[in-house]
Amino acid sequence: MAIIRETIRAIFITLMLWLLTAIIYPLIILVVGQVFLPYQADGSIITLNLNNEPIGSALIGQVFTSERYFHSRPSTVRYSQGKKAKPTGISGASNLAASNPELLKRILEQANQLRDENLQPIADIIYTSGSGLDPHISLRAARQQLTRVASARGVKEEEILPLITRYTDGRFLWIFGEPGVNVLRLNYGLYLQDFNRQ
């Protein structure tokens, strides 16, 4: 009888833990997220104002190749976009050791490309991020690209500087990390600036 009683008790405890951790807790988190932080809970999706078409998430980087836009940090998974994206997953670093010739080759190619554009190679526009999905670049990297973007758009740099300031995210909890410019939001701001000009 004691074994049956203990077995029933173990099953009851397992069901209660399952109910608590698999149903009640996720539902509470879902409700709190949707009530207090709906934009973040739904993926921080940025949409075009005209037809409400999503253009991306403010939390995940994208590839920008046009001279008219600020370029993101390099990504080994190419932000999981397009035909050149790595099919092995949607996030991750290269995992190449500092002594690996392939890593050195990639960094040298990136540095030479930046020198051709008259840009000084700095860390966050040469090295990939650990996740491969970093949506930010440093203020220094944004300011370095400012001349190129302004001349490609035919505007003065002073017209773009307020956008860089506006889309700079501060340190996490005011002490962790460095301020960073959200590239998608900045480029969307440039798009809106163009649209308002027309």
Side-chain angles (χ1 to χ4, degrees), residues 118-191:
N118 292 321
L119 295 176
Q120 179 187 356
I122 58 174
D124 64 326
I125 52 178
I126 289 184
Y127 301 127
T128 59
S129 68
S131 68
L133 304 176
D134 195 349
H136 295 92
I137 56 175
S138 67
L139 283 166
R140 186 174 170 205
R143 287 197 179 110
Q144 230 181 15
Q145 298 181 55
L146 180 60
T147 304
R148 172 184 50 82
V149 173
S151 65
R153 291 180 165 275
V155 298
K156 294 179 181 177
E157 293 180 15
E158 292 76 30
E159 292 182 45
I160 299 176
L161 275 172
L163 290 175
I164 292 175
T165 304
R166 180 177 180 186
Y167 296 116
T168 298
D169 296 331
R171 298 170 187 262
F172 179 66
L173 297 177
W174 302 280
I175 56 173
F176 297 110
E178 294 296 322
V181 181
N182 189 297
V183 180
L184 177 62
R185 290 173 58 209
L186 174 60
N187 287 336
Y188 182 58
L190 288 171
Y191 167 81

Side-chain angles (χ1 to χ4, degrees), residues 19 21 37 47 49-50 59 70 87 109 111 126 142 148 164 198:
L19 184 67
T21 58
L37 304 163
T47 58
N49 285 347
L50 304 174
L59 303 175
F70 287 85
E109 284 174 2
I126 289 184
R148 172 184 50 82
I164 292 175
Q198 294 171 356

